[in-house]
Amino acid sequence: MKITYTHELPANKKGDALVIGVYEGLKNLTKEEVTQLKSLNFSGKLGEVVTVPSTENFKTLIYVGLGKKTELKTDVVRLAAAKGIKSAKRIKAKKVVFELFGADKLKEKAAKALAEGIVLGNYSFNKYKSKEEEKFELEKVTVAGEKEYKKDFESGYVLAEAANFTRDIVNEPGNVVTPEKLAEIAKELSEKYGFKCKVFKEKELEKNKMFGILTVGKGSKNPPRFIHITYKPKNPKKKIAIVGKGVTFDSGGLNIKPEQFMKTMKSDKAGACAVLGIMKAVGELKPDVEIHALIPTVENMPGGKAYRPDDIIVYKNGKSVEIHSTDAEGRLILADALIYGSELEPDVMIDMATLTGACVVALGHYTSGLFTNDDKLANTFLKLSAETGEKMWRMPLDEDLKEDIKGAYSDLQNVGKTRYGGAITAALFLQNFVDFEKVKSWAHIDIAGPAFLNKEWKYYSPGATGQPVRTVVEYIVLEN
């Protein structure tokens, strides 16, 4: 799909469909339009969509509700744009024009959100579909808006394309994207944007004492990998490390998952894929920030060489961990990455992972859990996530729960002694592997809920969402 931005009026364009945003009450329309839309029970409420045949420059007019003007937010524009593009696809429109809506209130934020809504809403993963009618693609989308908002629109396009890049990799099944394949994707991305990329194979993992990655990965015929991508501009203002959990498929290991919890476990690489998506956006936007992208990647399988409950791992930082569940593998591989990341001495280190079902129990499917030792960083992320629509909620690093992960025969155990507070004890576990003498601020984002959805929500189709790519990129670009 080709997208262009123009400052020409929509009336001067031609196409199969024109998408028009309408406030509740239909106050921004002509009397004829109001009469027609009221006859179709359309009032402009948020989420409403109606298509009307047209005989002029466009075959169809698509009206999307923006809700009350006084309540207009960026996510409303994003949602309305997605509703419009989905409606255009349903009627098989190939050339679609959008008028920029919301700029009268939100100004440049509206242009950015509109781009995101169009790109995110247009997304589909139909690579393996054989029927051509299921693979319909729009040819061209033109957005007509004020000239001064073009750069903001282009910025939103970059962010949404990065999220969709992430979605594509997450949606790929485990027989396609293995740890080795994920490393290949990282190399291709790095080559495209001029990043440095190092991939540690088994010997390098052993040399660097990455025993968590080696332990979890040894049960699979697909060997584990550790990926380090570096972006370093001439005069960086700050150094940031981003870390993503890359379990390309999680069977649970010897503590094997029940069928209903295993069938979407291709999504357990969503944190790693988000890191790659973030780096794609970094390559396009070129911020004045040094970025180190770190991805531990494994396949967690119950093979003859698989690790067992009661096994003990001793990490490079000297911490020992007793295995109480092989299905709590993500934190074991992230521990290696956090130790490695600490040695880089970043100002900020952010890890993202589909880490715990407990976080989904606590916050539901649509909200990520945010854990951090830095109040300012927490407030920044919460503010940005409210703008991006990638919802986050701050969770406590409750010191009283540290006792729950204290090992009987080791320093730590990899799950809590009870089922309660599981997302918190997982975050506390990770905290043990961050060297705060070298890392100023650390944040852990548990994306287990919103990273992969089984039904349509807002501008997302079922499957991967690409969260939290847009929020982290906004942090990197805007806050540094």
Side-chain angles (χ1 to χ4, degrees):
M1 177 182 70
K2 181 181 179 183
I3 298 183
T4 58
Y5 187 93
T6 178
H7 58 277
E8 288 185 59
L9 293 173
N12 296 333
K13 309 297 292 183
K14 291 184 179 181
D16 297 315
L18 171 64
V19 183
I20 304 165
V22 182
Y23 291 115
E24 191 171 334
L26 313 182
K27 293 180 181 179
N28 54 330
L29 300 176
T30 66
K31 288 183 179 180
E32 291 79 7
E33 285 177 308
V34 170
T35 300
Q36 185 179 33
L37 292 176
K38 282 186 174 180
S39 71
L40 297 170
N41 297 316
F42 179 87
S43 62
K45 289 181 180 179
L46 180 60
E48 286 186 338
V49 184
V50 68
T51 57
V52 178
S54 177
T55 57
E56 297 183 4
N57 291 359
F58 301 93
K59 297 176 183 177
T60 305
L61 301 179
I62 301 173
Y63 294 93
V64 292
L66 299 174
K68 294 178 181 178
K69 187 174 182 178
T70 55
E71 297 176 3
L72 188 70
K73 298 177 181 178
T74 53
D75 215 38
V76 169
V77 174
R78 215 175 273 119
L79 175 62
K83 292 272 187 181
I85 204 72
K86 288 176 185 288
S87 182
K89 288 182 79 172
R90 277 194 295 272
I91 63 172
K92 298 290 191 288
K94 290 187 175 182
K95 295 180 180 179
V96 182
V97 175
F98 277 75
E99 64 170 20
L100 174 58
F101 38 79
D104 55 335
K105 187 173 186 293
L106 300 176
K107 301 187 182 301
E108 70 277 357
K109 288 183 179 180
K112 194 172 192 178
L114 186 78
E116 292 175 342
I118 292 170
V119 176
L120 294 171
N122 180 59
Y123 178 85
S124 60
F125 187 73
N126 52 25
K127 177 179 175 180
Y128 298 102
K129 297 280 189 180
S130 59
K131 294 181 180 178
E132 287 303 314
E133 61 267 26
E134 294 186 82
K135 301 177 77 168
F136 175 80
E137 295 291 342
L138 295 160
E139 287 181 7
K140 185 179 180 181
V141 174
T142 304
V143 176
E146 290 87 341
K147 191 175 183 179
E148 63 264 35
Y149 300 144
K150 184 177 181 180
K151 286 186 177 180
D152 301 290
F153 181 86
E154 290 171 346
S155 175
Y157 176 80
V158 167
L159 293 178
E161 281 288 289
N164 283 355
F165 175 75
T166 295
R167 294 165 87 180
D168 274 344
I169 310 170
V170 177
N171 282 329
E172 288 283 6
N175 64 314
V176 174
V177 174
T178 62
E180 289 175 294
K181 180 62 178 177
L182 202 62
E184 286 178 22
I185 295 169
K187 286 179 180 178
E188 290 168 4
L189 183 73
S190 299
E191 188 175 340
K192 179 177 180 180
Y193 291 108
F195 304 144
K196 291 182 180 178
C197 183
K198 293 192 294 185
V199 176
F200 296 1
K201 297 183 180 180
E202 293 93 325
K203 286 183 179 179
E204 291 95 335
L205 291 170
E206 189 83 34
K207 182 180 178 181
N208 284 274
K209 298 181 180 180
M210 294 183 162
F211 299 126
I213 298 171
L214 285 165
T215 297
V216 177
K218 67 184 181 180
S220 172
K221 68 174 184 178
N222 294 307
R225 295 288 183 263
F226 179 75
I227 304 161
H228 179 185
I229 303 171
T230 304
Y231 163 77
K232 190 172 183 179
K234 286 185 178 180
N235 298 299
K237 296 176 181 177
K238 188 179 280 189
K239 184 192 292 187
I240 298 176
I242 52 175
V243 183
K245 171 188 170 185
V247 180
T248 58
F249 186 80
D250 182 18
S251 69
L254 292 178
N255 293 113
I256 198 161
K257 291 178 182 287
E259 179 271 336
Q260 66 268 30
F261 293 108
M262 197 193 299
K263 62 185 178 182
T264 58
M265 281 300 103
K266 64 181 183 180
S267 68
D268 214 19
K269 59 183 181 293
C273 300
V275 166
L276 292 175
I278 291 163
M279 293 309 293
K280 176 177 170 60
V282 165
E284 295 285 343
L285 299 172
K286 298 177 174 57
D288 294 328
V289 182
E290 181 177 335
I291 310 292
H292 293 270
L294 311 176
I295 298 172
T297 177
V298 300
E299 186 176 52
N300 188 24
M301 299 292 279
K305 295 182 179 179
Y307 73 125
R308 300 155 289 254
D310 295 334
D311 284 0
I312 292 178
I313 307 170
V314 180
Y315 282 86
K316 187 179 181 180
N317 69 347
K319 294 285 177 75
S320 58
V321 176
E322 184 177 343
I323 306 304
H324 279 227
S325 172
T326 62
D327 195 23
E329 82 298 327
R331 66 201 71 183
L332 298 176
I333 67 171
L334 285 169
D336 284 323
L338 293 173
I339 293 169
Y340 183 94
S342 295
E343 292 171 351
L344 298 171
E345 300 188 7
D347 297 291
V348 181
M349 185 156 61
I350 305 159
D351 76 72
M352 54 212 80
T354 48
L355 203 63
T356 67
C359 199
V360 188
V361 172
L363 299 177
H365 288 289
Y366 308 120
T367 304
S368 294
L370 173 66
F371 300 81
T372 179
N373 64 329
D374 184 331
D375 292 341
K376 183 180 178 181
L377 185 64
N379 291 335
T380 297
F381 264 107
L382 293 176
K383 180 182 176 182
L384 289 173
S385 68
E387 281 291 321
T388 63
E390 296 183 330
K391 298 196 295 183
M392 294 183 187
W393 188 263
R394 191 178 186 185
M395 299 282 280
L397 287 163
D398 188 347
E399 297 286 318
D400 290 331
L401 289 177
K402 281 187 173 181
E403 189 67 27
D404 271 23
I405 54 170
K406 188 176 180 181
Y409 305 101
S410 59
D411 298 323
L412 302 165
Q413 59 185 51
N414 74 326
V415 291
K417 292 181 172 69
T418 70
R419 60 192 290 264
Y420 303 110
I424 299 171
T425 53
L428 290 170
F429 179 93
L430 294 179
Q431 193 176 38
N432 280 277
F433 300 93
V434 180
D435 186 344
F436 288 102
E437 291 185 2
K438 297 178 179 178
V439 180
K440 294 177 183 177
S441 298
W442 163 70
H444 159 59
I445 308 172
D446 193 329
I447 58 173
F452 192 91
L453 302 173
N454 288 320
K455 63 179 181 179
E456 187 171 312
W457 175 61
K458 292 204 296 188
Y459 21 85
Y460 300 117
S461 53
T465 64
Q467 294 200 35
V469 168
R470 291 180 294 116
T471 304
V472 176
V473 175
E474 292 279 27
Y475 170 73
I476 290 170
V477 174
L478 297 179
E479 299 297 322
N480 296 289

